[in-house]
Amino acid sequence: MRTYHCFWLLFWAGQSHQSFLTPLSKRTSGFPEKGKVLVLSGNSRQDLHRSKRSWMWNQFFLLEEYTGTDYQYVGKLHSDQDKGDGSLKYILSGDGAGDLFIINENTGDIQATKRLDREEKPVYILRAQAINRRTGRPVEPESEFIIKIHDINDNEPMFTKDVYNASIPEMSDVGTFVVQVTATDADDPTYGNSAKVVYSILQGQPYFSVESETGIIKTALLNMDRENREQYQVVIQAKDMGGQMGGLSGTTTVNITLTDVNDNPPRFPQSTYQFRAPESTPLDSPVGRIKANDADVDENAEIEYSITEGDGYDMFGITTDKDTQEGIITVKKALDFESKNLYILKVEATNTHVDPRFLYLGPFKDSATVRIQVEDVDEPPMFSRPAYIMEVKEDVPLNTVIGTVTAQDPDAAKNPVKYSVDRHTDMDRVFNINSGNGSIFTSKPLDRETLLWHNITVIAAEINNPKQSSRVPVFIKVLDVNDNAPEFAMFYETFVCENAKAEQLIQTLSAVDKDDSYNGHQFSFSLAPEAASSSNFTLQDNRDNTAGIFTRKTRYNRHETSTYFLPVVISDNDYPIQSSTETVTIRVCACDHRGKMLSCNAEALIHPTGLSTGALIAILLCIIILLVTVVLFAALRRQRKKEPLIISKEDIRDNIVSYNDEGGGEEDTQAFDIGTLRNPEAIDDNKLRRDIVPETLFMPRRTATARDNTDVRDFINQRLKENDTDPTAPPYDSLATYAYEGNGSVAESLSSLESVTTDGDQDYDYLSDWGPRFKKLADMYGSMDSDKDS
């Protein structure tokens, strides 16, 4: 029988505490029973023809929590090519190789170096191989095997919570669900009963019970009353091994609270209550408190009190104090000892939240009798009204009577009364009162705009006993009269542009009036008589309490007049009519074409102003750019000396300027002198041009001197007209080439003189219509066209 090379891992089952093997295939015949071998087959092609083997293994078990002092023996790795001469070396790789599991490279013995815990890692996957020591090459293909950690009962059940809290209503039926507790066991649930947990109750009987398999706690006693006992502590045990002897256990505590239900009616501790009340007791003042006791709590103990019958049913009322659940008896109507001095009431207390399940216990209400004795007292004077409201116009003369208050002594003696004003409520002494008859009159002028309402207090006291006094509030409203003139709603200071057009709106005015108007204010606006005819502006009343200021002329000059003061008369329509004159300040300003103000200072063109930081930075950047441009321009001139820009057949005296930067024209200083344009008087008429050689010198013509402040456009048009009509002015032209690309450029030149493919495409007859300055160009290009035609 042909055999194949393979690894043999020998596991000795003589010691059951060290390792356990599990066969994966059936045993074949012809193999000794005492041998247990793990065949780790290779991956070579020879494996397609398997030889006859006995037991076939690929996994084994190892006990966890090994407590021995030596390393725990796992097994032996052996190759059939091992001749015992030490030429082979056994190596181990995979989970825990070299740390948890080590191998003797000479003998192939595998050992575990540490205690293994299945709860940390239940399975280890390892790979074994034998290699030739001399060549370092494997003599067997690498094989893989599994080590499973065999579980032992080393973990007790653990509850998910150390303490459980639950609550149920009192008077619950037997078997009412309370709470479910849960315990877990970290041991292997697939092996034995190590993780099978059973629940039992250690403390809490006979009130509660627990289901052994689910951990559900239920009530076990009927009609548990919260008023007798509210808190229960139950201890639950969870034990593994199915609750058998030797199993591990854990406990937890369950705190169970009985919640209240309304199963107790309110009860008065006594049947009769007696109170005393002076006849001077103010309305809504408390006379006494009564309370019915309720053994329940929270909303189940809330009580509502009511007066059901008695001769004082309409004289007294009762309310419930929500904090103390007491009934507060108060006075609804004024008491009078002389009229009635004893009242008898029947008060009833009822639960506001009644549970229908417990109505069989009886009505949830109770009643008691209340006797109230009225006591006689010396009463202070009593006013005819609880408060007085009076009105007075703000322009009434001093000492004008505005109203009267009246008070009398309610006692049988009818003592006389004197009146006074509480000066704490009238610090300015605006009002005074007649001490005998209670008439109130003014003592200082009134102003509605300063104070609309005056709230004073009048005191009435018995002359014989000044301590017996009473007070009454008096509200005095000051009525308005038209004594204030209307005025502008705000200070108006506006501006008008120098280039403003006539009839242009520059400002809208509005007014306010401190006085009150029942029909609404109506204001009229007009210009003051002294400004109506000579003003540079007009005023239009919009008839909606606003007015608009319009320009009367087309242009304004801030150098002539920088500010205008426009007087406006505002009148109201009340009686008597009030009017006032307000002034609008109008400044003349320079504006852009959109009408946006630029400057309103008349000296802005004469006195230079300081520059901002941003302006200085901008100027500095322009200077830097200009310097860089000059340097680049000088460098380009050195490179452009190879050939001229334009080669002409004739010697045309032209001034060619190349603009290669945003400034442009730095070399054409003779053609355009901006200083000359700004100061025409500085022109040197005798100065000849230096860029051409004139053929004939003519005497220069003296032109008229331009006046001061001449516009640049007018100056240029004047000089152009003079040169066009001057027959002695040579037709000196200035030719400027823009965006020239240079020699050899692919884009070639962008000059308009070289952009035309054929000269015949252009008609230059229009040059003759441009005047004598273009006569030479017309003759030159006209002759070129005639030569081509010929």
Side-chain angles (χ1 to χ4, degrees), residues 439-505:
S439 59
I440 301 174
F441 55 92
T442 59
S443 58
K444 286 186 178 181
L446 302 176
D447 186 6
R448 188 201 67 88
E449 288 72 32
T450 302
L451 187 60
L452 176 62
W453 284 92
H454 294 267
N455 303 329
I456 65 174
T457 300
V458 175
I459 303 174
E462 295 181 4
I463 296 178
N464 299 332
N465 186 10
K467 293 183 178 180
Q468 293 296 331
S469 63
S470 58
R471 297 166 176 264
V472 68
V474 179
F475 306 102
I476 303 173
K477 183 179 180 181
V478 181
L479 302 179
D480 183 48
V481 296
N482 191 25
D483 58 345
N484 290 279
E487 57 188 12
F488 279 152
M490 57 180 292
F491 176 74
Y492 289 101
E493 182 178 4
T494 184
F495 71 94
V496 62
C497 296
E498 288 184 311
N499 55 355
K501 298 180 180 180
E503 300 300 328
Q504 179 179 340
L505 176 65

Side-chain angles (χ1 to χ4, degrees), residues 1-22:
M1 180 176 61
R2 186 172 60 183
T3 59
Y4 301 95
H5 300 300
C6 63
F7 283 138
W8 297 79
L9 186 60
L10 305 179
F11 300 98
W12 307 102
Q15 299 177 354
S16 61
H17 68 278
Q18 291 183 349
S19 63
F20 297 87
L21 304 178
T22 301

Side-chain angles (χ1 to χ4, degrees), residues 200-266:
S200 62
I201 185 168
L202 300 182
Q203 177 184 324
Q205 294 176 331
Y207 307 103
F208 301 96
S209 63
V210 62
E211 294 183 356
S212 60
E213 295 183 356
T214 61
I216 296 177
I217 301 175
K218 298 181 179 180
T219 58
L221 190 64
L222 184 64
N223 293 335
M224 287 189 290
D225 193 359
R226 185 199 65 84
E227 286 73 31
N228 294 330
R229 183 177 177 181
E230 183 177 5
Q231 298 287 339
Y232 294 86
Q233 190 175 74
V234 179
V235 178
I236 303 296
Q237 181 190 63
K239 191 174 184 179
D240 60 11
M241 298 297 292
Q244 299 176 4
M245 293 291 294
L248 303 178
S249 64
T251 60
T252 186
T253 301
V254 182
N255 295 322
I256 302 175
T257 303
L258 296 184
T259 59
D260 185 56
V261 297
N262 192 6
D263 58 341
N264 294 281

Side-chain angles (χ1 to χ4, degrees), residues 325-363:
Q325 295 300 316
E326 292 179 318
I328 305 174
I329 301 175
T330 58
V331 178
K332 292 174 58 177
K333 293 183 178 181
L335 302 178
D336 189 4
F337 175 81
E338 290 75 18
S339 300
K340 188 176 180 63
N341 57 12
L342 179 63
Y343 296 91
I344 300 176
L345 310 173
K346 185 178 180 180
V347 178
E348 186 175 80
T350 307
N351 277 139
T352 57
H353 301 280
V354 179
D355 194 336
R357 296 178 299 170
F358 305 103
L359 289 177
Y360 68 91
L361 299 176

